[in-house]
Amino acid sequence: MINIRFAKEDELEQVNVIRKQVHKLHADGRADFFKPGGWDSIKDIVKDRFVSDDSNVIVACNDSRITGFAIIQYIHRNETPFRPSHEFVHIEEFCVDSKYRRQGIGTLIIGFIKNDALERGINKLELNMWEFNETALKFYESIGFKTYRRDLEMHVPGISFIDAPPPLV
């Protein structure tokens, strides 16, 4: 039986076992953004999420084994001249252990996040993902996420940031 709940601080190591899978996937997919050996410098970042009022760590458990997790942040953006104020839950990290995928665990975690958001009066979830991760995109789309913005890039051969001309003002 899978139980979805807020994580306990002493479960950090179990969460990090799965986070390491995400880091490896990202380092393999985009080594220009993610250092393959950079795990040691990021593994403790999640500690702050356990104690912050504006974030939470959610876990899926099968008995005492953590099979998936999400790290979420509750975001409030003030009104600007261009946009009204708004709130949303940002899913900062999300993963189901590779041994437990395609068993509905990810859908259960997202359901828990949706219920938590609704209890807080928040009606929008957001997340970012890397384009190379087609499996994740298919999953997110299958449960109702829609693309509303894209980041685009262009690599220019022979130009590095060091020799690039200054930006136009």
Side-chain angles (χ1 to χ4, degrees), residues 18-150:
I18 304 170
R19 286 182 73 227
K20 193 169 185 176
Q21 293 177 21
V22 175
H23 180 73
K24 181 176 178 356
L25 175 79
H26 289 159
D28 290 347
R30 286 300 301 255
D32 57 327
F33 274 89
F34 298 94
K35 295 178 181 179
W39 171 248
D40 286 338
S41 63
I42 66 164
K43 70 179 182 181
D44 291 335
I45 290 172
V46 73
K47 283 182 182 179
D48 294 339
R49 300 298 184 242
F50 279 101
V51 296
S52 173
D53 291 337
D54 62 356
S55 63
N56 262 314
V57 180
I58 296 160
V59 292
C61 299
N62 187 351
D63 294 321
S64 62
R65 180 175 177 81
I66 293 177
T67 58
F69 79 95
I71 299 171
I72 61 173
Q73 294 177 302
Y74 307 104
I75 307 291
H76 175 80
R77 299 278 191 245
N78 291 324
E79 181 177 351
T80 72
F82 307 103
R83 185 170 188 166
S85 67
H86 62 286
E87 290 183 314
F88 60 96
V89 174
H90 175 71
I91 300 173
E92 183 178 16
E93 292 185 41
F94 182 92
C95 187
V96 173
D97 187 314
S98 61
K99 298 176 207 127
Y100 295 92
R101 292 185 187 148
R102 296 190 177 4
Q103 297 178 29
I105 295 169
T107 303
L108 291 172
I109 295 171
I110 294 294
F112 184 94
I113 295 168
K114 285 167 52 175
N115 288 337
D116 178 57
L118 289 173
E119 287 175 11
R120 295 168 183 272
I122 301 171
N123 66 2
K124 184 178 180 185
L125 307 182
E126 290 187 8
L127 58 81
N128 306 74
M129 57 154 296
W130 291 91
E131 196 72 19
F132 70 84
N133 194 348
E134 294 174 9
T135 304
L137 179 60
K138 286 178 187 173
F139 166 71
Y140 293 133
E141 288 177 339
S142 77
I143 60 171
F145 280 89
K146 305 256 185 265
T147 300
Y148 75 94
R149 181 182 76 197
R150 287 184 179 245

